[in-house]
Amino acid sequence: MGSIGFSTVAASQRRSKPKAHPHREGPGSLRCARKDGASRSRLAAILLLALSGAAAAEEPAAGASVIDLPFKVKAMRGPGSEVSLAVATSGLLPIARPKPASADPKAPPAPAPDETEVAPVAVVWGDDGGAVLSLDGDGVKTTLIGAEAIEGLVASETPRGAVPGSRRALSGPLSAYLTGAIGGAEQAAGLTLRERQPLGTTSEPKAVPMATVTLAPGADQAFAARRPRIALVDGKAVVLAVTAGPGAASALALAEKDAGGNWTIAARTPPQAGASTLSLAGVGDFSGKGRPQFATIREPDAAGVLQLWSYATGAFSLVAEAPGYAGPTADIDFAAVIPGEPGKAADLALPASDRTTLAIVSLNGSIAERARVLLPGPAALGVAVLGRGDRARVLVGLADGRLAVAGASAGASVRP
């Protein structure tokens, strides 16, 4: 499929590149002292807001623009990640919040806000600084932060007892993470679930009770070094993880509570053989019917194949699959869901197999590309989405440390 270009930014609109200086203060700056404690709110409070404003763009390649940052990006986190949630809820950035539910008892209940609304920011960083990115109309606004602010935020992603370097999933009272490192943290012996319990009425401060359970992957199997995910199916939380073995096979596993309220591995996909273990690319309402489906990538013979799975009555069903997409990685989010407008289907953004183009893929009953966007360089550091529907903006971390941005629909105008 040929490349579909996006309108470029005129050279006369380009701004001069800001100079990086981690200790500079001036107009628009905010310096916060580091405080003790491990809570996300305290970690977010050390954010050093060095500059704020719309990022300038270098001369864009056909299809995507490069966001002008005074540092090379080496890692990124998208909306819904623990880092982005800590930044978005810190109160330091003017971020729009979901509207509260109506006080009218006859009014229909407001839909539960998703990660696009709760933490509508992406965070990128490198050795010389970091940045928070958010939507500003049709453009992307960049707020620079100090590199030291990122350290505490990233540390909170790996709880005590988790496999070193792994990241937990967090949704409401439930968290999930891998435990019991095997083979130098390439695999894990357990999937640990922790759930906050109701505290009840009390006149004295008490610790919030936690229920903890660790699930085993099964005989001759381990959990692959893939970040767990939490989703809602029929109004109930489920946890998704990847199991590896026996042999070179891997599978997507779903854990949920049984009739007795006990967590258990309730379903697995058929074993998928490949050069690397299966990767969960995204969870979204890809049909527009209000029920999540699951996109995975398997890698037979070093070629990535995108798969779409549905889940019902305790079993996975393969809906469709198509080759030609970038293979999985252990610690990088190399695909991102583009949430649809209310009542509309979600899409998926991910690099093609050569990583030089970004594919915008519809998964509504089949796998069909809506657009291909030529990138200014090979994708390597991750993919994140800001916003929803055709108005969404897709961020792509490139191999040379630059950050590209593209629209989510063919012909969309991109104003970094």
Side-chain angles (χ1 to χ4, degrees), residues 301-348:
D301 303 322
V305 175
L306 177 63
Q307 301 177 305
L308 175 64
W309 300 89
S310 62
Y311 174 76
T313 62
F316 283 105
S317 299
L318 181 62
V319 178
E321 65 177 9
Y325 301 95
T329 59
D331 58 353
I332 296 174
D333 293 327
F334 224 47
V337 174
I338 303 172
E341 300 289 354
K344 301 294 184 180
D347 291 330
L348 189 71

Side-chain angles (χ1 to χ4, degrees), residues 54-92:
E58 297 177 9
E59 192 66 26
S65 300
V66 174
I67 294 178
D68 188 8
L69 296 172
F71 60 89
K72 286 189 175 182
V73 175
K74 70 176 185 180
M76 63 188 300
R77 298 287 188 269
S81 66
E82 195 159 354
V83 170
S84 295
L85 181 63
V87 172
T89 57
S90 66
L92 297 177

Side-chain angles (χ1 to χ4, degrees), residues 39-64:
S39 68
R40 289 198 306 269
S41 61
R42 290 186 178 182
L43 289 170
I46 64 174
L47 293 174
L48 306 178
L49 304 184
L51 282 173
S52 179
E58 297 177 9
E59 192 66 26

Side-chain angles (χ1 to χ4, degrees), residues 110-159:
D114 61 18
E115 61 188 25
T116 303
E117 299 166 316
V118 174
V121 300
V123 181
V124 299
W125 68 91
D127 294 332
D128 300 318
V132 181
L133 300 113
S134 57
L135 284 181
D136 183 16
D138 291 331
V140 176
K141 181 180 179 180
T142 300
T143 303
L144 300 182
I145 59 178
E148 61 270 36
I150 300 296
E151 297 177 4
L153 297 174
V154 174
S156 69
E157 294 182 311
T158 305

Side-chain angles (χ1 to χ4, degrees), residues 10 15 28 39 46 102 172-173 184 205 251 270 272-273 284 299-300 302 343 349 353 376 384 388:
R15 298 182 179 89
S39 68
I46 64 174
S102 172
Q272 306 292 307
E299 196 175 17
S353 56
R388 61 173 65 246

Side-chain angles (χ1 to χ4, degrees), residues 354-383:
D354 63 1
R355 304 193 181 192
T356 63
T357 57
L358 177 75
I360 308 298
V361 182
S362 167
L363 300 173
N364 192 357
S366 63
I367 297 176
E369 290 191 11
R370 296 201 298 106
R372 277 278 183 109
V373 182
L374 181 63
L375 297 172
L381 303 175
V383 176

Side-chain angles (χ1 to χ4, degrees), residues 229-326:
R229 308 286 182 93
I230 299 174
L232 287 178
V233 176
D234 297 330
K236 300 178 181 179
V238 301
V239 179
L240 296 125
V242 175
T243 57
S250 56
L252 179 64
L254 183 146
E256 64 181 359
K257 287 184 177 180
D258 60 19
N262 300 310
W263 284 98
T264 182
I265 301 292
R268 302 175 197 260
T269 64
Q272 306 292 307
S276 63
T277 52
L278 195 71
S279 176
L280 181 56
V283 178
D285 181 10
F286 297 120
S287 67
K289 298 178 180 179
R291 187 178 181 85
Q293 291 177 298
F294 312 101
T296 61
I297 299 179
R298 64 185 181 94
E299 196 175 17
D301 303 322
V305 175
L306 177 63
Q307 301 177 305
L308 175 64
W309 300 89
S310 62
Y311 174 76
T313 62
F316 283 105
S317 299
L318 181 62
V319 178
E321 65 177 9
Y325 301 95

